Amino acid sequence: MIALDDIRRILDAHAKLRVPAASVEPNDDLYASGMTSHASVNVMLALEDAFDVEFPDDLLTKTTFCTISAIGAALDTLVTVDA
Amino acid sequence: MSATTIQPTVTLAARAAVVAAIAAQYAADVDAAARFPHEAIAALREHGLLGTSVPREFGGESATLADLAAVAAVLGAACSSTGMIFAMHHSQVLSLTRHLDGAPALELLVSRIASEQLLVASATTELGIGGDVRSSLCFVDRDGQTATLAKNAPVISYGAEADLILVTARTDADSAPSDQVLVACDRDSTTLEETSGWDTMGLRGTSSRGYRLTARVDLERVVPTPYEAISTETMLPVSHTLWAAVWLGMSRAATEISRQYVRAAARRSIGSLPSGATALVGLIAELERFEALVTAAGARFDDLSADRAALGSVGYLVSMNNLKVTASTLVADIVARALSITGISGYRNEGQYSVARLFRDAQGAALMVHNDRIIANTAQLILVQKGS
């Protein structure tokens, strides 16, 4: 399982949220919290770097990066497959 | 020879992907050793991909040119030499299947290509004809029901590995150089005396060696349709389309390496556009043009397939000549752009971002039937072309 706090750390660095990621619940809409689609690209790159994975095209959708839990679920599939 | 295991439920694309994975695994060794890609060709055979273009009535799958082009591209992305062998093989197979004219011996041969997954090579070029494949010196030396052929061929790609070799020759001892027929020679009754090797810059696995060929054949193995018609209606459009498809596959591979390289660079410099990112945009735009070109060429031939007059028209010939020149220029340009994007990582012979082998392979595209020769030929054609 991916630790959600690892994701929060990356969100703090790259998502340009209006609030600290610590205050964002797993199912809160990150775009509603201020993440732009441009920032979501940087989040994706940082996640790839941190977890040593590559998001395939079919996961490169807005919903994949919409919430912390969605990001965690997507990473779980990639990390499991790569392990 | 292993029996064919065609599984109609498994799509061509799925089988191509399996073979491509094997081809990719051995591509570096094939290149390093300048050897025939035995593993990939065995896999093509095992998955029924050598007989797929044979019509269903003769035991094949009636694969269209668009189908074959799709497979050629997938193979070309994995191993350029395997892709080219696939392309050349099916150009030969279609040159037979589309010009049978009900000849029983040739129908039998074609059904054997499907059932035994025979690999078919060609001997068109000849020393002493100035590189013009539409001229021959050698001739069908008839003796009753059999004939012998003696041809000094500077290039027979994978000739030593083929089961069948299609040889162009003058119809008779006193025929004009351009009065040619195609003769299907069994490898078993053909002697190949090697006259030159194949140690080249790229496409090192095609084993395009030179041979002094002598063959003894039954006269029934002489294709009744004049080679002029076969060349125009099948060999030229099919080979140029399938070569273009292989080069497209190589271009896809170079683009994918570039994309991965730029994405990795982006991960290291989050927030700023990595160098190479804008160049990658141009590369992808070129690739999209190339994709459209090959798709259109396959669809156009399949549309016109039975319309021999349309295939023989000057406009179509000009178009097919231009396809070869354009596609060979595109692959060289795309791979050069990929090298520029990946920089010294691409320049290396090893590593995940190497484009060295693709770069060397791509240089062959403009030279195999030299673009200058094709352009000169096209220039003659457009002098007689009416408005399209």
Side-chain angles (χ1 to χ4, degrees):
Chain A
M1 281 292 287
I2 298 293
L4 297 188
D5 282 346
D6 288 341
I7 298 172
R8 286 194 171 91
R9 191 169 39 77
I10 286 168
L11 290 172
D12 277 331
H14 300 291
K16 298 200 163 99
L17 299 175
R18 283 190 300 266
V19 293
S23 69
V24 178
E25 294 297 321
N27 291 319
D28 285 352
D29 187 329
L30 292 171
Y31 296 100
S33 305
M35 183 172 73
T36 62
S37 52
H38 181 78
S40 74
V41 172
N42 291 337
V43 168
M44 180 206 74
L45 291 168
L47 290 167
E48 287 187 338
D49 194 36
F51 295 101
D52 194 24
V53 294
E54 181 156 340
F55 286 92
D57 284 349
D58 60 344
L59 281 181
L60 295 182
T61 64
K62 202 166 179 183
T63 49
T64 300
F65 300 97
C66 193
T67 66
I68 292 173
S69 61
I71 291 172
L75 285 173
D76 276 337
T77 65
L78 297 176
V79 171
T80 309
V81 168
D82 285 10
Chain B
M1 185 167 304
S2 64
T4 164
T5 53
I6 297 178
Q7 297 171 279
T9 49
V10 182
T11 63
L12 273 183
R15 286 182 274 155
V18 171
V19 177
I22 294 167
Q25 198 183 329
Y26 293 98
D29 186 58
V30 164
D31 178 62
R35 69 168 177 86
F36 183 74
H38 292 285
E39 301 87 352
I41 304 306
L44 283 173
R45 193 167 264 146
E46 182 186 340
H47 292 275
L49 288 173
L50 292 182
T52 187
S53 64
V54 171
R56 285 195 190 85
E57 59 181 308
F58 299 117
E61 299 180 284
S62 296
T64 64
L65 188 57
D67 291 336
L68 296 173
V71 175
V74 170
L75 296 175
C79 168
S80 314
S81 293
T82 299
M84 287 310 297
I85 292 168
F86 178 86
M88 291 187 276
H89 163 79
H90 283 290
S91 303
Q92 301 311 312
V93 173
L94 287 174
S95 292
L96 273 182
T97 62
R98 286 171 46 78
H99 303 277
L100 292 171
D101 292 336
L106 296 176
E107 290 186 352
L108 179 69
L109 185 62
V110 162
S111 59
R112 277 186 54 212
I113 292 174
S115 65
E116 298 174 30
Q117 296 287 308
L118 303 180
L119 181 63
V120 189
S122 88
T124 47
T125 54
E126 184 172 12
L127 286 179
I129 56 168
D132 176 13
V133 295
R134 286 289 293 103
S135 291
S136 288
L137 287 175
C138 73
F139 61 96
V140 182
D141 195 353
R142 292 155 200 261
D143 178 16
Q145 272 311 299
T146 61
T148 50
L149 286 169
K151 184 163 190 167
N152 196 348
V155 171
I156 304 180
S157 290
Y158 56 93
E161 313 291 341
D163 304 301
L164 270 179
I165 302 177
L166 302 194
V167 183
T168 49
R170 288 185 296 130
T171 307
D172 270 307
D174 42 9
S175 304
S178 63
D179 177 6
Q180 294 167 293
V181 287
L182 198 57
V183 186
C185 303
D186 283 320
R187 182 65 184 83
D188 291 348
S189 51
T190 302
T191 307
L192 295 178
E193 182 197 334
E194 188 173 315
T195 53
S196 58
W198 186 249
D199 182 4
T200 49
M201 177 186 285
L203 295 176
R204 291 167 58 80
T206 59
S207 291
S208 304
R209 300 168 192 278
Y211 297 99
R212 198 168 284 115
L213 172 150
T214 41
R216 168 165 285 280
V217 294
D218 196 295
L219 271 186
E220 290 179 321
R221 287 297 191 81
V222 179
V223 180
T225 309
Y227 182 66
E228 181 180 24
I230 299 173
S231 170
T232 306
E233 295 164 13
T234 303
M235 189 84 86
L236 186 93
V238 169
S239 60
H240 287 190
T241 302
L242 292 182
W243 293 352
V246 174
W247 301 333
L248 171 63
M250 292 161 60
S251 302
R252 284 182 192 161
T255 305
E256 179 58 21
I257 292 169
S258 304
R259 197 193 62 77
Q260 284 174 3
Y261 180 85
V262 170
R263 197 149 148 176
R267 285 184 208 120
R268 292 192 301 267
S269 61
I270 292 171
S272 66
L273 209 52
S275 72
T278 51
L280 182 60
V281 176
L283 174 55
I284 289 171
E286 282 273 272
L287 183 68
E288 285 172 348
R289 281 213 300 143
F290 203 169
E291 295 276 0
L293 185 73
V294 173
T295 302
R300 187 173 178 192
F301 180 85
D302 289 332
D303 276 352
L304 298 176
S305 179
D307 186 347
R308 302 296 166 108
L311 293 177
S313 70
V314 175
Y316 187 69
L317 267 172
V318 167
S319 185
M320 286 301 103
N321 277 352
N322 286 340
L323 169 67
K324 193 273 173 183
V325 173
T326 305
S328 60
T329 308
L330 276 170
V331 65
D333 181 52
I334 284 174
V335 177
R337 285 175 187 240
L339 178 60
S340 173
I341 289 170
T342 55
I344 212 75
S345 299
Y347 189 66
R348 290 179 192 279
N349 278 324
E350 293 175 321
Q352 62 174 316
Y353 303 120
S354 172
V355 294
R357 190 180 77 237
L358 282 166
F359 188 90
R360 289 185 287 101
D361 289 344
Q363 305 312 309
L367 312 176
M368 44 179 288
V369 189
H370 203 295
N371 280 357
D372 289 351
R373 177 186 290 277
I374 293 182
I375 291 168
N377 175 267
T378 311
Q380 290 291 323
L381 285 172
I382 59 172
L383 294 179
V384 298
Q385 185 181 17
K386 309 291 186 288
S388 51

